[in-house]
Amino acid sequence: MSRNNDNTAKRKITFASLMANNKVLFAFSVVVAVVFWCLVSMSQTTEIERVFQNVKVTINMEESLPKNSGLEIFGNDEFFVDVSVKGLSYLVNDSAFSADNISVLASCSAVSAAGTYELPLSYSLKGVSEGIEIVNTSATSVKVTFDERVTKTFALTEDIEETEGYSLGEGLIRENPRLSTDSVEISGPSREVSKITAVKAHAVLSEELTSTVTLEAELIAESASGTLDFSYFTVKNADQIYITIPVNQVGTYKTAVDFIGLPQAYRGEGIEYTITPSEIEVSVLTGVGETQINDSNEILVGTVDFSQINNTTNRIVVENNQLLSEPVRFTVTVDMSSMQKRWLEIPVDLTDVKLPDGATVTSATVKSVQIIGPYQSVMKLDKSAAYAVPVFDKASYSSGTHKVPVKIVLRTLTDSWVYGTYTIDITVE
C-alpha cells in the first residue's frame, strides 16, 4: 500500500503545480531574466561593421593656394566614396549616427599651378563618442583639374547633318541657313579654351523638309585634334542657339501690295488698283510667319500708306530689294478721281496728352486739312467731324519753337480719309 501511495505522489508533481508554488515561480523568473539580460547584453556589446555609401567629399577651396592663385575647379567637382565603420552594435546602429558624422576632406595643399592633381583624402568621425572607428574606404584620392578661367569670343558657324530620312520637297529650294547669333562668348579653363579652333552649331535634318524650319542647335567646340569636351565650358551670351533653314518655292506670281490706313468701309472688298509689273518669277519663302504670299496667292511686294492717296489717279512707286537679286521698282496705280476733297480747319485736342516739360502748344487748330471721300460724305463735314492729337517723339525739347506731327482722327466717317501729313507749333521755355 505504501508503494502505491508514493507513485501517486510522484504523478501529481506537474509544471502547473510548480508554477503554483511562489518560491519556484520566483526562482524561474530570475533565471529567465538573467538569460534574457545576457542575450541582450551580448548583442549590444558585440562589434559589427556598417557601410555608408555615397559619402560626399569636401574640397575646401577657401583660403587655399589654388584659390589665392586665381585657379578654379573644372570638369567633375563632386565626388562620393563608400566608408566602412566598426564599433559596438548599439553605437553603430544608433539612429543618430549617419553619414553626416563622417568627414571626407580632399587636400589642395599640393596644388601650385594649373593642371590635374590626385588630391589625397583624409577621413575622420565627428560628433560621436569613442567606440567607433573607420576601417575601410573605397578611395584614397580623387582626380581634380585646376585652371584659370578665361573668356573668349568665337565666330559661330552652322553644321547641319543630313540623315537617311532627310529629303527636300518637290519644287522647293533650300537656302543658306541663318543662325540666331553670329558669335558666342565661351568661358572655361585657360588650357582648354586655348585649344578651340572652331565653334559650330550642330543640328540634324532627319525627315522631309517642306517649309522653312527652325532647329535647336547643339554647340560643338573643335580643336586641331578633334572635338573637345564641352562640359568644361559655359556659354555666356546665349542660353540656346537656333538655326533657321529657309525653304523657298519657285514660281510665277501676281504682284500685290498692302494698304496702311485703309478706311473701314473698304476693308471687306478692298479697293481696285493695278501694279506694274503685274507678275514676277521669284523664289518665295515658305513657312508660318515667313510667307510673302497673301490669301489670293499673290506675292506682296510692299505697302502703300493711304495718306499718300489723293482724289486723282495716283501713281505710287514701291521699291523692293528682298525678292530678287536686284532691287525692283513697282508702280501702284490707284484711281480715286471719283472722290471729293474738302479742306477743313481741325481743332487740337489735348485732353489725354501729356506735354513735355516746359512745353506749351501754341496752335489751337490745324488749318487746311485735306479730307477725301465720297461727295455725299465729305460735303456734310464741319469742324466737329475730326480732331488733331500731337505726337511727341521725346520727353523733352530744347528751348524755342518746334513743329510736332499730329494725328488726325475722323470721328464718324468710315468711307473717307485724311490726305497728307500735318504739324502744329509748340513753344518750350
Side-chain angles (χ1 to χ4, degrees):
M1 289 292 294
S2 60
R3 182 178 299 175
N4 291 336
N5 289 337
D6 290 342
N7 291 337
T8 302
K10 288 180 181 180
R11 285 196 298 269
K12 290 181 178 180
I13 300 174
T14 63
F15 181 78
S17 64
L18 287 175
M19 291 298 100
N21 188 312
N22 290 337
K23 291 183 179 181
V24 174
L25 179 60
F26 175 77
F28 179 77
S29 299
V30 170
V31 171
V32 171
V34 170
V35 171
F36 182 76
W37 178 84
C38 290
L39 292 173
V40 171
S41 178
M42 289 176 62
S43 66
Q44 291 297 313
T45 56
T46 301
E47 282 194 331
I48 63 171
E49 286 192 17
R50 182 180 176 187
V51 178
F52 291 89
Q53 296 180 326
N54 297 323
V55 180
K56 189 172 183 178
V57 176
T58 300
I59 306 175
N60 187 8
M61 287 282 290
E62 297 301 323
E63 301 301 325
S64 64
L65 181 60
K67 179 75 172 181
N68 295 335
S69 301
L71 301 178
E72 298 181 27
I73 296 176
F74 290 94
N76 186 20
D77 60 355
E78 284 193 338
F79 301 90
F80 298 88
V81 294
D82 298 339
V83 181
S84 296
V85 300
K86 184 178 181 181
L88 297 177
S89 176
Y90 77 94
L91 294 176
V92 173
N93 287 327
D94 190 343
S95 60
F97 181 57
S98 67
D100 294 336
N101 297 107
I102 303 173
S103 175
V104 185
L105 296 177
S107 174
C108 299
S109 59
V111 179
S112 57
T116 300
Y117 295 80
E118 289 280 352
L119 303 184
L121 300 180
S122 61
Y123 295 82
S124 62
L125 297 174
K126 55 184 180 180
V128 296
S129 60
E130 296 182 359
I132 302 177
E133 61 178 338
I134 296 172
V135 293
N136 194 21
T137 61
S138 62
T140 58
S141 65
V142 290
K143 184 179 290 187
V144 182
T145 299
F146 295 85
D147 206 344
E148 179 183 0
R149 180 178 292 276
V150 296
T151 300
K152 188 176 178 181
T153 301
F154 294 89
L156 189 62
T157 58
E158 69 279 350
D159 177 33
I160 299 175
E161 177 186 352
E162 299 175 3
T163 65
E164 291 184 1
Y166 165 73
S167 64
L168 184 62
E170 185 177 355
L172 300 178
I173 297 175
R174 193 175 112 186
E175 302 289 352
N176 292 330
R178 300 194 300 258
L179 288 164
S180 58
T181 182
D182 295 329
S183 62
V184 289
E185 287 186 22
I186 292 182
S187 174
S190 174
R191 185 170 54 178
E192 294 298 316
V193 172
S194 64
K195 297 178 183 177
I196 298 177
T197 57
V199 179
K200 296 182 178 180
H202 178 74
V204 177
L205 286 175
S206 57
E207 56 189 12
E208 184 181 19
L209 197 59
T210 58
S211 64
T212 297
V213 65
T214 298
L215 305 172
E216 289 189 8
E218 175 190 7
L219 288 181
I220 297 175
E222 294 185 344
S223 68
S225 57
T227 302
L228 295 171
D229 184 357
F230 213 88
S231 64
Y232 283 101
F233 308 122
T234 56
V235 181
K236 299 189 67 174
N237 64 329
D239 294 332
Q240 182 61 57
I241 306 296
Y242 297 94
I243 301 177
T244 297
I245 303 176
V247 175
N248 288 9
Q249 183 168 354
V250 178
T252 300
Y253 297 88
K254 291 184 177 181
T255 55
V257 293
D258 269 340
F259 288 94
I260 300 173
L262 184 68
Q264 184 177 349
Y266 310 123
R267 292 176 187 172
E269 297 181 0
I271 62 169
E272 291 186 3
Y273 68 94
T274 59
I275 184 169
T276 306
S278 61
E279 61 181 26
I280 57 174
E281 184 175 350
V282 69
S283 177
V284 180
L285 192 64
T286 65
V288 177
E290 296 281 1
T291 182
Q292 297 163 290
I293 304 297
N294 65 14
D295 294 339
S296 301
N297 202 36
E298 300 168 325
I299 187 166
L300 299 175
V301 298
T303 58
V304 174
D305 194 326
F306 228 72
S307 65
Q308 299 175 265
I309 297 177
N310 204 347
N311 62 327
T312 61
T313 299
N314 302 266
R315 291 179 175 83
I316 301 168
V317 176
V318 175
E319 185 172 291
N320 189 298
N321 57 7
Q322 296 179 340
L323 294 175
L324 301 172
S325 57
E326 296 293 333
V328 180
R329 294 167 65 89
F330 298 88
T331 301
V332 181
T333 302
V334 185
D335 185 3
M336 288 294 181
S337 57
S338 63
M339 296 294 174
Q340 181 70 33
K341 179 186 289 187
R342 182 87 180 272
W343 284 265
L344 285 178
E345 185 176 352
I346 304 298
V348 176
D349 188 349
L350 302 176
T351 304
D352 297 320
V353 176
K354 182 179 179 182
L355 298 176
D357 296 339
T360 302
V361 175
T362 55
S363 301
T365 62
V366 182
K367 298 179 180 180
S368 300
V369 175
Q370 301 178 55
I371 299 177
I372 299 173
Y375 178 87
Q376 63 272 21
S377 295
V378 298
M379 295 309 293
K380 297 177 183 179
L381 293 176
D382 57 23
K383 288 185 178 182
S384 65
Y387 62 92
V389 179
V391 179
F392 298 103
D393 59 356
K394 48 189 175 182
S396 62
Y397 292 78
S398 60
S399 299
T401 300
H402 302 269
K403 290 193 177 298
V404 175
V406 292
K407 178 182 179 182
I408 307 296
V409 180
L410 298 180
R411 294 184 186 275
T412 57
L413 292 180
T414 60
D415 58 1
S416 305
W417 64 95
V418 176
Y419 173 70
T421 58
Y422 303 90
T423 62
I424 59 172
D425 291 333
I426 66 169
T427 300
V428 180
E429 296 182 355

